[in-house]
Amino acid sequence: YSPEIMQRAVIMHYHAALCPDYWPTMLAQLRADRPVAYGWLEEWGPITGRTHFAARVVRKALKELRHRRCRRFIERCHEVHAEVEHVC
């Protein structure tokens, strides 16, 4: 960890330092090195990786829809391929 690099940083990428176990240490470093960033990030709290139930349901539904569309597309490609072979 380099305070000089932290002072020049413009993007904070999600990694273990934002998880609950390391959250207090990261906040202490931000408080010292980037008080403005500390002010707005502290309100958000650590990243838990948990999503709301509704978001999980929507994500699962979209995944299933995309899977079905993909399967249907591949089936149509096979049908077109078979028709082309039949004509030739």
Side-chain angles (χ1 to χ4, degrees):
Y1 171 75
S2 167
E4 295 80 23
I5 291 174
M6 179 61 97
Q7 289 172 355
R8 292 191 313 265
V10 293
I11 296 174
M12 182 177 292
H13 177 73
Y14 162 76
H15 66 307
L18 300 176
C19 292
D21 292 344
Y22 303 106
W23 184 248
T25 303
M26 177 56 121
L27 281 182
Q29 291 172 344
L30 282 176
R31 190 180 314 118
D33 301 332
R34 300 292 296 263
V36 173
Y38 165 81
W40 62 261
L41 189 60
E42 191 262 341
E43 294 177 20
W44 286 88
I47 295 175
T48 62
R50 296 184 184 107
T51 56
H52 294 285
F53 177 74
R56 290 193 310 266
V57 169
V58 169
R59 184 172 38 242
K60 190 169 186 170
L62 286 173
K63 183 177 180 181
E64 179 63 26
L65 175 66
R66 290 175 184 137
H67 179 72
R68 288 180 185 199
R69 285 182 177 175
C70 183
R71 262 195 346 242
R72 191 170 53 224
F73 174 77
I74 290 170
E75 288 170 2
R76 287 181 181 163
C77 287
H78 289 301
E79 291 170 8
V80 169
H81 181 70
E83 287 178 19
V84 170
E85 282 185 350
H86 179 70
V87 172
C88 295

